[in-house]
Amino acid sequence: QVQLVESGGGLVQAGGSLRLSCAASGRTFSNYAMAWFRQAPEKGREYVAGISWSGGSTYYADSVKGRFTISRDNAKNTLYLEMNTLKPEDTAVYYCAADRLGDGSSRYGYDAWGQGTQVIVSS
């Protein structure tokens, strides 16, 4: 099983930017499609973006399309989420997840999850 640790969250003003990272260990990172999810207070977990094992295909929720960019560096065993033009409604705990069988486009079926990193966007 791959182990995942997120970092990079924090407090930012609306319109600002943050870059989240997800460091993987334990298994071959490049064997996994990856995704970012988020969960706001009193809301369910929401799919944000996904990426195939090679990085050749990326997928985004409509709510973040054009503002967020998912990428990965398989040599560094790290997944990234570049978040620009942040809005207060982006406030949530952000989780990375790994999927051994999928391509990163699915909302379901992830094998491993990180512990999350908090993002707070002030208005």
Side-chain angles (χ1 to χ4, degrees):
Q1 189 80 310
V2 65
Q3 286 82 48
L4 305 172
V5 179
E6 302 94 337
S7 62
L11 174 64
V12 63
Q13 288 189 330
S17 299
L18 278 176
R19 188 194 199 199
L20 305 184
S21 298
C22 171
S25 63
R27 293 289 184 183
T28 305
F29 178 64
S30 59
N31 285 347
Y32 292 83
M34 300 294 296
W36 287 98
F37 290 77
R38 66 186 181 186
Q39 187 163 15
E42 300 182 358
K43 292 189 176 180
R45 189 158 54 194
E46 175 190 16
Y47 175 92
V48 174
I51 189 167
S52 62
W53 67 269
S54 67
S57 297
T58 56
Y59 311 90
Y60 296 94
D62 288 344
S63 58
V64 306
K65 202 171 293 182
R67 300 188 297 122
F68 289 12
T69 302
I70 188 171
S71 62
R72 66 191 297 162
D73 186 335
N74 286 344
K76 294 183 178 180
N77 293 338
T78 304
L79 174 74
Y80 302 101
L81 185 68
E82 185 75 35
M83 305 187 295
N84 298 314
T85 320
L86 282 161
K87 305 175 181 180
E89 51 264 43
D90 294 318
T91 294
V93 177
Y94 283 72
Y95 300 89
C96 62
D99 182 359
R100 180 67 178 87
L101 299 178
D103 64 359
S105 63
S106 176
R107 274 62 173 166
Y108 309 102
Y110 288 82
D111 307 298
W113 295 81
Q115 83 292 345
T117 186
Q118 177 76 58
V119 171
I120 299 173
V121 184
S122 63
S123 57

